[in-house]
Amino acid sequence: MDARDLVRSGKLVRSVKAVGTARGLRSLRAAWQRRRSDAVGLPRRGPELARVPGVVTGADPQPGGGVVRFARSSLRVRVTTGGAVFCGWDGAAPEPSYALVRGCPEVDDRAVLEPDTVGGWRVVSERVTVAVSRLGAVEVRTPGGVMLRRDLPPRWWEPAAAVAGSAPEERDGHGPDGERPAGVGARWQQRSEVAADARFFGLGGRSSGPRLRDGRYRLWNTDPGGAFRPGDDPLSLTVPVQLVVADAGTHLVFHDNSWDGSVTLREGEEGEGSGHDRPGGCWTRMEGGPLRYWVIVGTPARVMHSWASLTGTPAVPPAWALGHHHARWGFGNADEVRRVVAGYRERGLPLSALHLDIDHYAGNRVFTVDTERFPDLPGLATELRGEGVRLVSIVDPAVKAEPGDAVYDSGSAADVFVRDALGLEVRGEVWPGESVFPDFTDPRVRKWWGALYAERLAQGFSGVWHDMNEPVSFGAFGGTTLPRSARHTLEGRGGDHREAHNVYGLTMARAGYEGLRELRPEERPFLFSRSGWAGLQRYGGSWSGDVATGWPGLRASLALVLGLGLSGVPYSGPDIGGFTGSPSPELYLRWFQLGAYLPLFRTHSALSAGRREPWEFGPRVLRFAAAALRERQRLHPYFLTLAQLAGRTGAPYVRPVWWRTPKDRALRDCEDAFLLGDALLVAPVLEEGAEQRTVRLPRGRWYDTVTGVAYEGPGRAVLDAPLSRIPVLARAGSVVPVAGADGGVELEVWTPCPGRKGGGGVLVEDRGDGWEKTEVVRFSTRLRAGEVRVEREDGAEVGHPVRVRGHAPRNGSRGRR
Ligand code: GLC
């Protein structure tokens, strides 16, 4: 158990007594300091008064909606051109916001606020109708009038002193300009209802998804402690965004508020035809900050597209980042790195990148190199690059608080570190020892930090891996982050850690991304980050964090990738084999086989964990892992296409099986398979000893890509899943761009069904790791007189060799309901 494990398990105090480690003592000190800072720096919580909006008193129509006034609050409703609808209580406006990519989108001025027949108001727009009741309930309906969500009147709890001291018009909640006074740190809660059959997804990276069952999900980015298992909550990357899928339609709700809070979900129940359905429920509670949210209605693809328009399209990783990565905490030295890379080479196993963890730093200090163990890092990088392997560097935000440390000296001189309410630097305890933390919510600090990446580039690194940016400061008690009272710039507005905490990783990603773009403008940055928030995808991806080794951890890793994708962050993957301990050969292999179909395909493990190289688990595992690696390489053009499509439309590479058929209830509950793009359905083996598994198929015909057997969906099929592979099915009529034997792109076309519409696919050829313009080429497929026809939709030559696969179903191969 390392010091962090001790901190998390609450055993630190005991261990300090027992061994008195320097880190243990410092963690104790950090925890006391945090408690003291908060005692001085946080407003004391006195008596509070509850408030609800009260009765409607009038409304001011404005372009795209308007403001509805209530006795004790006001609600702004604004429909924007992308179809997203903004609702802001108490005068809350869409900006300022860390989530919105270009501020508030343009208003759709065709939408107008009008009185309804029951004393309320409503806004009708192309994609959604929003109806506001007399008492402030907000109903979101499809254009056909079906209710998707009903937000009941919110409730605020405000410090009684603040209310008593405010001007009367402020107490009413609608001053002359409709705004409430800033800084009245009211807590609030809102209850919402959704259809009885609705299912919840999203909320960032959750270990227990992808379907979020009944329970409370906290919105506070948290390093889970050593290693997490399914059910551990929260984790490092929370996003207050939920995707709700029901028969009546799909909608997304995003609460643009970075404060600590929670979402409690309760799935509904259907009365089995009795007419007594119990609707699903959702309670959103926030410790402060504005009550403002966005609603988007449409098909899943359309909703995710609008979400990407609102918060930014995902950065497209460089082509090499879609290959295989190998990482470990504790390679030890340059020779060990060479040995591992040679191990891949000698066995003919493709390897794209190798990641160096904190152990390559001098004394765990960011932006340094231990030159005894890595005497010539730039030389090593060049040598590996010659073999097609890039180096990726971990980057932690904590800076060792020690005069003489170059980063500390430069940061202190520029006054970039977070301070407490008394103006002192906040000191915490992280890997390098006593540390300070850059305030990434300050544009000046982001610029300073981004420039530091020049050192990483000079060392030969091709990409960065942001870690410990929840941010973590080990504390013997009371949490593992900065004091809530710590001051932050928040783009000049000023505020404290209660508001800045959840955007710390996001703003660090912005600093790193912008730094890399400036330093190496010709290449697309490769960046992925453990923590983040709405909009992280603009700068890069994420990964699972420290998933516990074990079969439950394997399941959790899939849940995370799917959930992140539906929260807008499509590029991620788990630590293959799990972060801790030593997986059995079978578990390692099943994890590896799953990872081969996820965007970030990376083996990684902790300092004290066992090996993760594919040859460390015996010849059989090596043979099968090699097959998975080769298949990943073959699918590289497909992954590049998916990355480019994600970068245009926000559609995640890895999608839930209900993506195109959200009304199929059985698919909404299916959590052990996923769609990779439109063409493939991947059914990983998540259970020990399983050599067969049941797969739930969406409608249409599906071919087992190895046996070629066809199955008809919707329904279930039992497929062989020998140790050598996991089942992967291809949709009839689809076109999958793959690497041909000569290295060019070949089109693998899966025979369309006769008499049906046919099918199609997309190819986006990525011509490098830069910003070259790419072209989306669409193909359509048809079966005519027993022959498969493939055409480019723009009428041009197909231009690539075509390989037709799949044949008509045999008896008995139909899917079962
Ligand atoms: C954190 C990261 C892990 C990394 C370790 C040491 O636990 O999640 O990936 O190996 O820190 O840097």
Side-chain angles (χ1 to χ4, degrees):
M1 193 179 259
D2 68 25
R4 216 156 37 123
D5 294 335
L6 289 170
V7 171
R8 288 148 176 170
S9 62
K11 292 178 191 143
L12 189 89
V13 177
R14 240 180 304 147
S15 75
V16 168
K17 260 196 228 143
V19 283
T21 63
R23 166 156 299 147
L25 288 168
R26 287 195 307 262
S27 301
L28 205 51
R29 196 174 62 202
W32 281 118
Q33 274 169 357
R34 183 170 50 218
R35 176 178 284 192
R36 254 203 323 272
S37 301
D38 283 348
V40 180
L42 283 182
R44 214 160 298 153
R45 209 167 184 173
E48 291 176 321
L49 290 178
R51 172 168 63 93
V52 291
V55 179
V56 74
T57 56
D60 300 329
Q62 290 166 0
V67 176
V68 183
R69 297 179 179 283
F70 296 87
R72 286 178 296 279
S73 187
S74 65
L75 170 68
R76 172 175 296 161
V77 182
R78 187 183 286 176
V79 180
T80 63
T81 46
V85 181
F86 175 80
C87 293
W89 281 99
D90 271 0
E95 293 176 77
S97 163
Y98 274 106
L100 303 183
V101 63
R102 276 179 294 272
C104 183
E106 252 178 69
V107 162
D108 178 355
D109 44 26
R110 293 169 303 173
V112 243
L113 186 65
E114 54 191 26
D116 66 15
T117 52
V118 283
W121 291 80
R122 62 178 195 175
V123 183
V124 180
S125 77
E126 197 186 331
R127 274 160 73 170
V128 62
T129 295
V130 177
V132 182
S133 81
R134 283 182 65 244
L135 292 174
V138 179
E139 226 173 81
V140 177
R141 302 187 194 130
T142 64
V146 183
M147 201 268 275
L148 292 175
R149 182 182 195 92
R150 186 177 153 80
D151 298 317
L152 299 171
R155 181 178 292 262
W156 294 266
W157 286 269
E158 316 178 280
V163 176
S166 61
E169 69 273 15
E170 288 169 350
R171 275 205 297 273
D172 287 350
H174 49 92
D177 54 359
E179 307 285 327
R180 281 187 67 76
V184 180
R187 296 187 292 124
W188 56 261
Q189 174 182 322
Q190 186 165 35
R191 181 157 81 83
S192 310
E193 286 175 1
V194 297
D197 67 289
R199 295 283 183 257
F200 299 97
F201 300 87
L203 294 181
R206 303 283 164 177
S207 62
S208 57
R211 169 181 158 196
L212 300 174
R213 291 181 164 70
D214 294 3
R216 178 173 172 270
Y217 299 87
R218 190 168 170 207
L219 299 164
W220 186 253
N221 294 342
T222 305
D223 173 19
F228 69 85
R229 291 174 177 73
D232 287 353
D233 190 88
L235 300 179
S236 303
L237 203 172
T238 68
V239 187
V241 66
Q242 45 181 283
L243 192 69
V244 186
V245 187
D247 285 358
T250 298
H251 74 272
L252 174 151
V253 172
F254 167 58
H255 282 93
D256 194 350
N257 179 326
S258 62
W259 286 60
D260 195 357
S262 67
V263 174
T264 304
L265 300 176
R266 195 188 62 188
E267 290 180 345
E269 262 170 33
E270 288 182 291
E272 304 292 335
S274 68
H276 296 299
D277 288 356
R278 193 195 67 183
C282 166
W283 288 257
T284 308
R285 297 186 178 90
M286 288 291 186
E287 290 298 315
L291 202 183
R292 57 177 182 180
Y293 57 100
W294 289 88
V295 183
I296 305 174
V297 172
T299 61
R302 225 168 142 184
V303 165
M304 291 311 293
H305 196 165
S306 298
W307 175 241
S309 311
L310 201 62
T311 61
T313 47
V316 178
W320 58 265
L322 292 162
H324 177 57
H325 305 233
H326 189 90
R328 114 156 261 122
W329 178 7
F331 278 122
N333 58 37
D335 286 341
E336 174 63 3
V337 166
R338 286 195 182 91
R339 190 189 72 79
V340 170
V341 173
Y344 275 89
R345 183 182 58 240
E346 283 155 13
R347 292 170 180 86
L349 307 173
L351 179 67
S352 249
L354 191 124
H355 296 213
L356 296 187
D357 205 325
I358 51 169
D359 51 289
H360 87 279
Y361 290 157
N364 291 338
R365 295 163 193 232
V366 67
F367 302 119
T368 65
V369 173
D370 181 334
T371 47
E372 253 172 50
R373 289 183 295 128
F374 290 86
D376 176 17
L377 196 47
L380 179 68
T382 310
E383 184 187 319
L384 298 183
R385 185 75 183 267
E387 304 189 34
V389 180
R390 319 264 172 158
L391 279 183
V392 172
S393 169
I394 196 164
V395 175
D396 286 358
V399 173
K400 174 130 181 144
E402 191 174 85
D405 179 289
V407 182
Y408 179 70
D409 288 348
S410 126
S412 300
D415 188 17
V416 302
F417 300 119
V418 175
R419 293 181 178 276
D420 65 15
L422 298 176
L424 302 169
E425 267 175 8
V426 170
R427 300 280 168 117
E429 175 66 19
V430 203
W431 301 127
E434 195 178 19
S435 302
V436 287
F437 303 84
D439 178 12
F440 297 114
T441 68
D442 182 342
R444 202 177 49 82
V445 177
R446 288 198 292 269
K447 208 146 180 58
W448 167 80
W449 181 262
L452 297 173
Y453 287 57
E455 182 272 342
R456 295 285 90 183
L457 296 184
Q459 296 292 353
F461 288 106
S462 299
V464 289
W465 155 29
H466 285 183
D467 190 23
M468 305 296 278
N469 50 357
E470 289 75 10
V472 179
S473 165
F474 307 142
F477 55 85
T480 52
T481 191
L482 307 188
R484 289 172 166 251
S485 56
R487 304 295 306 164
H488 288 269
T489 303
L490 290 162
E491 314 308 311
R493 282 177 286 125
D496 64 37
H497 199 65
R498 292 175 299 172
E499 183 178 350
H501 176 84
N502 281 334
V503 295
Y504 193 83
L506 173 75
T507 48
M508 178 186 176
R510 177 169 178 189
Y513 180 84
E514 288 175 352
L516 289 172
R517 286 215 51 178
E518 205 162 314
L519 292 163
R520 209 177 42 187
E522 66 290 355
E523 282 185 36
R524 304 201 290 271
F526 177 61
L527 183 157
F528 69 112
S529 170
R530 192 167 77 179
S531 188
W533 201 65
L536 177 69
Q537 73 276 2
R538 304 192 285 259
Y539 316 115
S542 186
W543 93 103
S544 64
D546 304 343
V547 58
T549 295
W551 291 90
L554 172 58
R555 203 171 270 274
S557 11
L558 175 57
L560 257 144
V561 175
L562 276 162
L564 283 171
L566 295 176
S567 306
V569 184
Y571 181 92
S572 73
D575 288 350
I576 290 173
F579 183 63
T580 52
S582 295
S584 68
E586 183 194 355
L587 175 59
Y588 173 80
L589 179 62
R590 291 314 199 181
W591 219 316
F592 202 91
Q593 288 167 330
L594 165 64
Y597 294 94
L598 301 178
L600 171 61
F601 178 26
R602 185 181 84 141
T603 37
H604 179 56
S605 60
L607 195 55
S608 55
R611 311 293 320 178
R612 294 291 188 271
E613 292 79 22
W615 55 88
E616 296 285 352
F617 298 87
R620 234 156 69 98
V621 168
L622 173 59
R623 206 164 67 242
F624 301 150
L629 279 165
R630 279 196 299 274
E631 180 59 6
R632 171 66 174 230
Q633 208 175 24
R634 200 180 73 89
L635 288 175
H636 198 234
Y638 187 49
F639 272 96
L640 295 178
T641 298
L642 295 179
Q644 291 283 348
L645 291 178
R648 284 169 165 81
T649 67
Y653 318 32
V654 166
R655 308 167 186 173
V657 281
W658 46 258
W659 180 255
R660 279 173 48 164
T661 48
K663 287 200 165 97
D664 184 331
R665 292 186 175 187
L667 290 181
R668 295 211 287 262
D669 294 346
C670 167
E671 302 185 274
D672 61 359
F674 59 91
L675 295 174
L676 179 61
D678 256 351
L680 301 180
L681 190 158
V682 182
V685 173
L686 306 173
E687 268 169 42
E688 188 171 8
E691 298 231 351
Q692 251 195 354
R693 59 154 291 176
T694 304
V695 183
R696 236 188 212 285
L697 301 171
R699 72 162 180 250
R701 178 175 296 170
W702 295 88
Y703 298 99
D704 183 317
T705 52
V706 168
T707 63
V709 175
Y711 299 88
E712 295 289 327
R716 281 182 304 147
V718 178
L719 298 182
D720 284 340
L723 214 48
S724 57
R725 62 183 174 87
I726 55 172
V728 177
L729 297 136
R731 192 192 294 273
S734 64
V735 178
V736 186
V738 297
D742 62 354
V745 173
E746 193 176 283
L747 302 179
E748 189 170 85
V749 176
W750 291 89
T751 305
C753 297
R756 293 197 199 160
K757 264 200 337 254
V762 178
L763 166 67
V764 189
E765 275 192 275
D766 192 349
R767 307 206 181 273
D769 293 332
W771 303 94
E772 300 80 5
K773 224 174 134 34
T774 51
E775 194 196 351
V776 180
V777 180
R778 292 180 195 283
F779 300 96
S780 62
T781 60
R782 263 174 313 151
L783 188 65
R784 273 270 179 86
E787 207 185 302
V788 176
R789 300 253 187 104
V790 184
E791 278 165 15
R792 254 178 85 139
E793 285 189 351
D794 59 4
E797 287 287 301
V798 167
H800 295 277
V802 169
R803 202 150 68 90
V804 176
R805 300 191 60 191
H807 49 74
R810 290 200 306 242
N811 279 350
S813 61
R814 295 179 71 84
R816 278 173 288 132
R817 219 26 194 162

